[in-house]
Structure formats: C-alpha cells, structure tokens
Amino acid sequence: MIDTHCHVHFRAYKDDMDDVIKRTLDKGVRMITVGTQSTTSKNGIDVAEKYDGIYTTIGLHPNHTCEQQFIDDLEEIKTRCEHFDVEYYRKLAEHPKVVAIGECGLDYYRIPENLKRDEVIAAQKEELRKQLDLADELNLPVVIHCRDAHEDQHTMLKEYIDAGKLTRRGVVHCFSSTIDQARAYHAIGFLTSFTGIITFPPRKNEGPISPLQSVVRDCPLDMLMLETDAPYLTPEPHRGKRNEPWYVQFIAAKVAELKNISVEE
C-alpha cells in the first residue's frame, strides 16, 4: 500500500523517525511525506532521499500564511507568517523525489480572532495562486488542504481547469465534506482522499454509518485515495495515540467494509 499523505518528518517523530519509517516499509507500505512550509518542504526531501519507498511534496499550508497558535490533536502549533517564495520552491521541485505541490489551499476554520478575516482570506488566496501557477508550470499535481472553504476552493480550481491549466489535477486531502461536494471535485478531475476519521463510529444521532462514511460509500474507487495524515487523525483501533503511516491498512479495511469489497480490490 501507499500512505499518500503523512508527515513522518515532523517533530512528532523526532526521537524515533527512522524506526517508524523502517517499521512502515517492513510492512510493505510506502509513503508520501508532505511539506507545509519552507523548512518542512526542504526537510521532507532530505528524508525521502534516505529511503527507497518515500516520496515528498513541497508547499505552503494556508495556516502558515499568517502568524497564529493553536492546539491540533493535542499538539501545540505555532505558525509564522510566510510567503510562497516561487524561486525557492521551484529549485526544490527539481528533486526527483518531489511528486506534487502542496499541501496548499484555503482554511477558513483557523482564522485568528485578532486579524481581519477578509485580509487573512485574501492572503491565503494569493499564496495559493502562486502554488497553483507553479504546479501548472512544472506539470505537477497539487495536494489541496481545504477546511470550511470548499465553495471558494472549488471555484478557484475550476477557474484554472477551465483555462486549460493544472492538467495533472490533484487531490483534496483529508476530505470531510459532503457527497455533493465530493462529486463536484470529481467532476473537475480532482480525487478525494480519506483518513482515519472514516474509522470513527457514527454519533448516536447519525444512524448506522456517519455522513463521512456515506461519502466513502458513494465515492468511485478510481477517485479515491487513502492517507493517514500521520501523526494526526489516528484510526481505530489506535485512536488517541500517535498515528503512523502503516496504519493506512486500517483505513483501507474500513473502505472495503463500507463498499462491501475485498481489501485487495
């Protein structure tokens, strides 16, 4: 299997990264470790260079386009205000282990209360356009991070595609929206990727399966990707612990269960 989106080079693994990587590769799982800013994009290349079976992406996450501080999966994250330096990333993209631009996109969920919302959104869109332009120039796919911004995100991607750009398309990672929104992305050629969230049991008022599990059931296999987003969003049965890329097998098993097919298929 391939864990198509993890962050195995992040500080959550600073004490045992090589052990986690070897454990994952020994289980037959390859991985794409994803950059989120200038430093993690460079570091991802350094880690991918060391191992067969690891590839990487380079990009600027929308949360890093302004300075903020928040708790994510019990980890405290501090961001610095960064701009997408096109020349810097273009140089990084020359490395053969770089397979996509991202993760990049729009995130209206995390907008600091001390900043003007419209200015933060405008900055996110400006930095995203730089990355979409570079992906188009280099003929690379894009890894999209989108939270509470799907309408604007879809509109922007469709604008590029209608202009004949982004021929490699890409993926909306950690998809957590609706069936209709997933179908809208599929209609413009973008895949949807699912994390350990799909293994979480439905809430009491949701019926036999959760809304997101319904999206998985509706999603065509050829428009679907699997990811862990490790170290975050650990699937059952390890929920509550640090995630590892080889846990992608539990996500695959849940997709198979929801679609009533074999894991092999």
Side-chain angles (χ1 to χ4, degrees):
M1 292 183 183
I2 300 173
D3 178 4
T4 65
H5 189 119
C6 65
H7 305 281
V8 78
H9 64 294
F10 276 18
R11 66 173 179 261
Y13 304 102
K14 67 181 187 304
D15 296 326
D16 62 347
M17 180 188 72
D18 292 302
D19 291 339
V20 172
I21 289 172
K22 288 172 183 172
R23 184 158 54 242
T24 298
L25 294 173
D26 286 347
K27 292 178 180 291
V29 175
R30 291 176 286 169
M31 66 208 90
I32 300 173
T33 194
V34 171
T36 55
Q37 58 183 329
S38 58
T39 50
T40 57
S41 292
K42 174 65 170 65
N43 293 343
I45 292 174
D46 294 340
V47 171
E49 269 188 332
K50 290 173 58 180
Y51 292 96
D52 290 333
I54 299 186
Y55 295 83
T56 192
T57 75
I58 55 171
L60 180 62
H61 190 292
N63 290 161
H64 288 288
T65 61
C66 67
E67 196 171 306
Q68 58 179 312
Q69 187 171 340
F70 55 87
I71 303 294
D72 193 1
D73 256 24
L74 305 180
E75 180 185 29
E76 185 177 5
I77 295 177
K78 295 180 181 179
T79 71
R80 58 181 185 264
C81 183
E82 227 183 81
H83 300 286
F84 187 77
D85 183 335
V86 176
E87 292 305 317
Y88 173 83
Y89 285 93
R90 184 184 283 120
K91 186 70 176 174
L92 291 184
E94 294 174 0
H95 197 283
K97 282 288 187 95
V98 173
V99 295
I101 301 296
E103 63 184 282
C104 55
L106 303 175
D107 190 324
Y108 298 172
Y109 177 76
R110 295 204 195 281
I111 294 183
E113 293 179 0
N114 63 321
L115 299 178
K116 293 182 178 178
R117 181 179 176 86
D118 57 343
E119 292 180 0
V120 173
I121 290 173
Q124 288 189 13
K125 288 181 176 179
E126 180 181 353
E127 301 305 325
L128 175 56
R129 285 189 181 278
K130 294 176 189 175
Q131 297 178 80
L132 297 180
D133 289 341
L134 184 62
D136 182 62
E137 173 195 329
L138 300 178
N139 195 31
L140 286 170
V142 291
V143 178
I144 294 293
H145 167 101
C146 184
R147 194 167 184 186
D148 291 358
H150 285 289
E151 188 172 335
D152 283 1
Q153 184 67 79
H154 182 274
T155 297
M156 187 178 291
L157 293 174
K158 189 172 186 302
E159 172 196 325
Y160 273 77
I161 290 164
D162 287 347
K165 299 179 178 180
L166 298 179
T167 56
R168 295 284 302 280
R169 301 297 196 266
V171 60
V172 182
H173 113 91
C174 189
F175 188 82
S176 58
S177 189
T178 64
I179 286 176
D180 286 345
Q181 193 61 70
R183 289 175 176 176
Y185 283 122
H186 299 157
I188 60 172
F190 268 73
L191 283 70
T192 43
S193 182
F194 298 94
T195 65
I197 296 173
I198 70 165
T199 69
F200 300 169
R203 296 187 178 97
K204 288 181 179 178
N205 62 341
E206 289 180 340
I209 64 173
S210 70
L212 188 58
Q213 290 169 341
S214 296
V215 178
V216 173
R217 186 170 279 178
D218 183 76
C219 182
L221 279 182
D222 61 352
M223 301 305 291
L224 177 150
M225 289 170 69
L226 305 177
E227 61 166 292
T228 61
D229 203 17
Y232 315 111
L233 305 177
T234 310
E236 301 283 4
H238 299 284
R239 189 178 181 182
K241 302 176 184 176
R242 183 189 66 175
N243 205 352
E244 295 194 9
W246 65 271
Y247 291 175
V248 72
Q249 63 179 305
F250 300 112
I251 301 163
K254 190 64 182 182
V255 171
E257 176 192 322
L258 289 166
K259 288 185 167 292
N260 196 30
I261 59 175
S262 68
V263 172
E264 289 73 21
E265 183 178 349

